[in-house]
């Protein structure tokens, strides 16, 4: 029996894995989640590659689905970069899961590449039109994943002058089927224009729109596989469960850890490490869900005041007591991020990106006993070379740029500036 998908806002299963991937958002405005967890599905072997773990983990949801036959190939082709777990201490109690070895050096590469592979695995009469509003990292990962794939065109919208120079380069170094638009407005304008395009009857009739944003299950499922894989390997070597500290914003990455644990992988605690956008830590402390506008921090990819994937957490743990049992959460400010980068560079000889530093600081605040008795894995979500202006002064040295980022830096850039209006976007799309 295939496991169907349902909206977080309704108990009735309504679609399949490919349906959920194709639609992105459920028609009732909810997020797609599996209607059940596979029981007794075999766990991937400890020595399996990341792509094999992903295939084993996703397979129960793909039974009878059009992508079932090609799932192994999709995983092999899209999840083809290393995701190592590197020990930080000699006694094996602390390690780091490095998610930054993909083409744009942040964890979003894996989900974006798997989604791209799924959406382009079947031939289509009309090209798919992917519209993405981005404030930074997502757009680059999505562009890299879809670049030069047949049957799909990507249009990126970002706020002109409001992204970092490194990010802007990653958003504009594409050609062929990727179009980069610098919008003379804010990120909110970009999001509004994308929403208006989806809802405009004329445009929707002329274009086969879809979205590639982080709430798509096609991006989430591969993110469960790295927790499954790391926990299996830890259990094979040391026995017992592995606990994770996850730099969190919109909670898509951390949701993967909950999924892997629900499917039986040996995962202990899951700690959500937030910056000063503390909606989730406050919820766990007070029991009141109070979303608020985001505030800018050094860990900018986590500047989220109303994390959309929290709806998926609530679907698993509707009561605050149950949620407190399932996860812990903490908040770290910019001063602590700076201090942690400097201190851990001295202690471990490792340079964290500002997001990873949030998780490292949460680890440093655990009690002695918690650190000694558990096995902890920090999740490193981006390479520090993406944030040289923050990191280099703190470590008093330079960060070597990985080859994938260096290759992007060498490409010519191309961008069109447009007014923050639907008419301006429509003119580009209809061209
Ligand atoms: C997107 C991002 C995050 C936050 O991940 P969520 O899934 O939104 O919680 C953390 N770190 C980096 C580097 C990111 O790009």
């Amino acid at each position: 029996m295939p496991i169907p998908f349902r909206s977080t806002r309704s108990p009735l299963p309504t679609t399949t894995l490919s349906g959920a991937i194709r639609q992105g958002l459920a028609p009732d405005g909810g997020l797609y989640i599996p209607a059940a967890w596979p029981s007794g599905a075999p766990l991937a072997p400890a020595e399996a590659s990341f792509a094999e773990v992903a295939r084993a983990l996703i397979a129960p949801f793909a039974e009878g689905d059009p992508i079932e036959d090609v799932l192994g190939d999709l995983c092999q082709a899209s999840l083809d970069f290393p995701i190592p777990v590197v020990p930080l201490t000699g006694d094996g109690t602390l390690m780091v899961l490095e998610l930054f070895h993909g083409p744009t050096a942040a964890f979003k590469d894996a989900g974006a590449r798997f989604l791209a592979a799924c959406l382009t695995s079947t031939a289509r009469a009309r090209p798919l039109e992917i519209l993405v509003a981005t404030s930074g990292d997502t757009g680059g990962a999505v562009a890299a994943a879809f670049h030069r794939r047949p049957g799909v065109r990507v249009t990126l919208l970002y706020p002109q002058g409001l992204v970092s120079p490194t990010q802007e380069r990653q958003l504009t170094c594409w050609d062929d089927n990727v179009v980069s638009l610098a919008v003379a407005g804010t990120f909110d304008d970009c999001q509004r224009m994308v929403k208006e395009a989806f809802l405009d009857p004329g445009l929707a009739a002329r274009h086969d729109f879809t979205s590639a944003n982080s709430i798509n299950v096609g991006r989430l499922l591969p993110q469960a596989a790295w927790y499954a894989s790391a926990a299996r390997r830890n259990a094979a070597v040391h026995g017992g469960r592995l606990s994770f500290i996850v730099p969190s914003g919109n909670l898509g990455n951390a949701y993967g850890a909950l999924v892997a644990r629900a499917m039986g992988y040996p995962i202990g605690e899951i700690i959500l490490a937030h910056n000063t956008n503390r909606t989730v830590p406050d919820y766990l402390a007070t029991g009141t869900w109070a979303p608020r506008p985001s505030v800018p921090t050094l860990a900018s990819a986590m500047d989220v005041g109303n994390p959309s994937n929290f709806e998926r957490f609530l679907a698993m743990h509707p009561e605050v007591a149950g949620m407190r049992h399932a996860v812990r959460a903490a908040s770290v400010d910019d001063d602590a991020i700076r201090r942690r980068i400097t201190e851990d560079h001295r202690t471990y000889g490792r340079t964290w990106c500002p997001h990873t530093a949030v998780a490292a600081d949460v680890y440093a605040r655990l009690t002695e006993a918690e650190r000694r008795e558990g096995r902890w894995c920090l999740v490193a979500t981006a390479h520090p070379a993406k944030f040289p202006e923050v990191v280099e002064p703190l470590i008093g040295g330079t960060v070597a740029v990985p080859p994938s980022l260096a290759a992007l830096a060498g490409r010519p850039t191309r961008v069109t500036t447009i007014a923050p209006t639907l008419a301006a976007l429509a003119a580009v799309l209809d061209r």
Side-chain angles (χ1 to χ4, degrees), residues 59-427:
F61 305 108
E63 274 176 42
D65 190 280
I67 74 166
E68 179 177 23
D69 291 342
V70 291
L71 181 62
D73 295 342
L74 295 182
C75 290
Q76 291 293 347
S78 62
L79 307 174
D80 56 347
F81 46 87
I83 304 214
V85 178
V86 179
L88 290 177
T89 53
D91 63 0
T93 56
L94 178 61
M95 55 208 94
V96 57
L97 174 62
E98 295 183 354
L99 302 180
F100 51 67
H101 297 285
T104 69
F107 82 84
K108 295 189 173 72
D109 282 322
R113 285 170 65 77
F114 180 73
L115 177 64
C118 290
L119 286 175
T120 54
S121 68
T122 46
R124 328 187 60 86
R126 285 201 300 183
L128 264 189
E129 292 270 2
I130 302 208
L131 298 184
V132 188
T134 179
S135 58
D137 284 336
T138 296
V142 169
F146 285 91
H147 187 224
R148 301 212 166 137
R149 280 182 184 269
V152 48
R153 188 168 76 154
V154 176
T155 305
L156 300 176
L157 292 82
Y158 69 91
Q160 185 178 31
L162 297 180
V163 300
S164 80
T166 313
Q167 285 172 331
E168 177 150 41
R169 168 150 276 294
Q170 290 184 1
L171 292 170
T172 56
C173 67
W174 310 103
D175 52 23
D176 203 57
N177 65 333
V178 178
V179 176
S180 308
L181 301 176
V183 174
T186 63
F187 174 58
D188 291 336
D189 289 317
C190 299
Q191 274 198 307
R192 173 183 48 76
M193 291 159 71
V194 167
K195 214 174 265 174
E196 286 172 357
F198 278 118
L199 295 175
D200 184 85
L203 275 176
R206 292 192 295 280
H207 301 274
D208 214 352
F209 288 133
T210 192
S211 119
N213 73 21
S214 66
I215 50 99
N216 194 301
V217 289
R219 287 184 55 179
L220 293 178
L221 288 174
Q223 293 169 186
W226 50 64
Y227 296 101
S229 171
R232 277 294 263 173
R233 281 176 198 206
N234 174 70
V237 177
H238 302 290
R241 294 176 177 273
L242 184 58
S243 294
F244 291 93
I245 307 179
V246 189
S248 293
N250 220 10
L251 294 172
N253 191 0
Y255 182 67
L258 266 72
V259 168
R261 191 171 62 185
M263 291 178 69
Y265 286 90
I267 293 169
E269 297 211 49
I270 298 167
I271 307 188
L272 312 173
H274 288 267
N275 58 27
T276 46
N277 291 280
R278 35 179 312 134
T279 306
V280 175
D282 286 351
Y283 169 74
L284 289 177
T286 65
T288 304
W289 181 247
R292 58 206 81 161
S294 64
V295 293
T297 76
L298 290 175
S300 57
M302 293 154 47
D303 293 346
V304 181
N306 186 9
S308 41
N309 282 299
F310 196 66
E311 202 166 316
R312 291 189 160 109
F313 279 59
L314 283 173
M316 269 173 135
H317 305 288
E319 306 292 335
V320 69
M323 189 79 81
R324 285 179 182 136
H325 194 67
V327 295
R328 290 157 67 182
S331 161
V332 170
D333 67 17
D334 278 358
D335 283 341
I337 290 175
R338 287 195 198 87
R339 279 199 306 274
R340 183 54 48 202
I341 290 173
T342 305
E343 198 170 308
D344 282 5
H345 181 254
R346 237 181 267 136
T347 310
Y348 305 115
R350 292 292 310 250
T351 306
W352 306 135
C353 86
H355 311 81
T356 307
V358 172
D361 200 63
V362 170
Y363 172 78
R365 289 194 236 159
L366 297 178
T367 65
E368 234 345 280
E370 283 175 321
R371 285 206 294 267
R372 202 177 44 235
E373 283 152 24
R375 281 188 194 284
W376 294 92
C377 186
L378 307 180
V379 178
T381 50
H383 195 286
K386 290 190 96 166
F387 311 92
E389 56 288 342
V390 177
V391 170
E392 291 185 347
L394 295 168
I395 61 165
T398 54
V399 179
V401 178
S404 58
L405 282 187
L408 292 187
R411 297 173 56 90
T413 60
R414 194 182 64 159
V415 62
T416 306
T417 301
I418 65 167
T421 63
L422 178 63
L425 175 59

